[in-house]
Amino acid sequence: MSGMLRGILSKPETHLVPLRYLSSAAAPGTGGPGECRALATRPQALRPRPSALTDEIIRVDHAGELGADRIYAGQMAILGNGPMGKTIGHMWEQEKEHRRQFEQLIQQHRVRPTIMTPLWNVAGFVLGAGTALMGEKAAMACTVAVETVIVEHYNDQLRQIMDSPNPDKELLETITKFRDEEQEHHDTGIDHGAEQAPFYQAMTEVIKFGCKTAIAISKKI
């Protein structure tokens, strides 16, 4: 078991914001009305009620991936037509897939989403767009801060799952894959000058604190 655990754990120019990015209801691939209807009509195999641990993990990770989706949407709204557009777009596509998979798990396991979803939707976009308005390096600093917290959070969850009486192998594999992609996003931010952003240390610490607070709240309500 310890060997398996080690294997898993290693590893400004201001632009007008396009209206299509302002909410997840309008952004393509992020759970808009058309996608919500499609998801609602798509057959989902219901599973037995999850354990308390699985329930908490799915709820908080769904909230986290929603927030990440909206952060990258905000960044794309400001920087999407610039040199960083392709890089940010690639990370956004991965986050949209993360969100999609957790939306499926929410339905299949009949997990109640956090009541904070509307707030995280708006806050994520504001954070992404706000840091992007400060410049590309500030946007990458935001990415580094967020992904640092998420990678640590996913590693903690992997330990919890491995230590549980009946580890959920599917959830273990899903979180491991997503953790690795979040680490790639972190490294991309570093490679694109995040640490050269103005007030890098102070800004990232504030963002990390906000992320950790959101995680703690979303676990329970």
Side-chain angles (χ1 to χ4, degrees):
M1 179 73 75
S2 62
M4 183 177 179
L5 180 58
R6 283 195 300 270
I8 291 175
L9 294 179
S10 63
K11 234 195 128 125
E13 230 181 347
T14 302
H15 301 280
L16 292 177
V17 177
L19 293 177
R20 66 182 182 277
Y21 292 113
L22 285 176
S23 75
S24 60
T30 59
E35 290 190 15
C36 289
R37 287 193 295 270
L39 195 56
T41 57
R42 186 183 306 145
Q44 296 290 332
L46 295 181
R47 305 180 184 183
R49 293 291 298 176
S51 65
L53 175 62
T54 298
D55 184 273
E56 177 182 284
I57 286 175
I58 293 175
R59 176 166 51 255
V60 68
D61 289 356
H62 171 260
E65 296 299 350
L66 165 68
D69 173 6
R70 304 318 300 149
I71 288 171
Y72 285 110
Q75 291 184 352
M76 281 294 288
I78 306 301
L79 301 174
N81 293 325
M84 287 298 297
K86 184 175 180 180
T87 299
I88 295 171
H90 171 69
M91 295 188 288
W92 188 21
E93 287 302 316
Q94 290 182 318
E95 296 295 354
K96 286 189 283 188
E97 177 60 20
H98 296 180
R99 177 180 173 183
R100 186 192 67 79
Q101 290 199 35
F102 272 110
E103 285 176 345
Q104 287 187 347
L105 290 172
I106 281 271
Q107 293 190 33
Q108 292 172 353
H109 288 276
R110 291 168 286 174
V111 172
R112 174 186 55 79
T114 174
I115 64 173
M116 303 299 288
T117 295
L119 178 59
W120 300 158
N121 186 6
V122 175
F125 186 90
V126 170
L127 176 60
T131 52
L133 285 168
M134 297 169 62
E136 293 175 356
K137 291 180 173 60
M140 292 298 99
C142 173
T143 293
V144 168
V146 171
E147 302 297 13
T148 296
V149 173
I150 296 304
V151 168
E152 293 174 354
H153 169 69
Y154 276 156
N155 277 334
D156 288 341
Q157 289 185 334
L158 291 171
R159 294 186 186 97
Q160 288 179 294
I161 295 171
M162 290 295 295
D163 290 341
S164 64
N166 297 298
D168 187 321
K169 293 182 179 180
E170 180 184 3
L171 195 57
L172 196 68
E173 292 174 358
T174 297
I175 292 176
T176 299
K177 179 178 183 295
F178 291 176
R179 185 277 316 271
D180 292 346
E181 291 177 348
E182 307 292 5
Q183 182 65 54
E184 290 176 6
H185 298 172
H186 169 277
D187 297 345
T188 297
I190 294 293
D191 292 342
H192 285 83
E195 295 171 313
Q196 300 168 28
F199 311 108
Y200 171 79
Q201 195 65 40
M203 178 169 54
T204 53
E205 288 303 317
V206 169
I207 294 173
K208 287 177 185 178
F209 177 78
C211 290
K212 291 176 182 178
T213 301
I215 288 172
I217 293 171
S218 298
K219 283 180 179 181
K220 303 303 178 184
I221 63 172

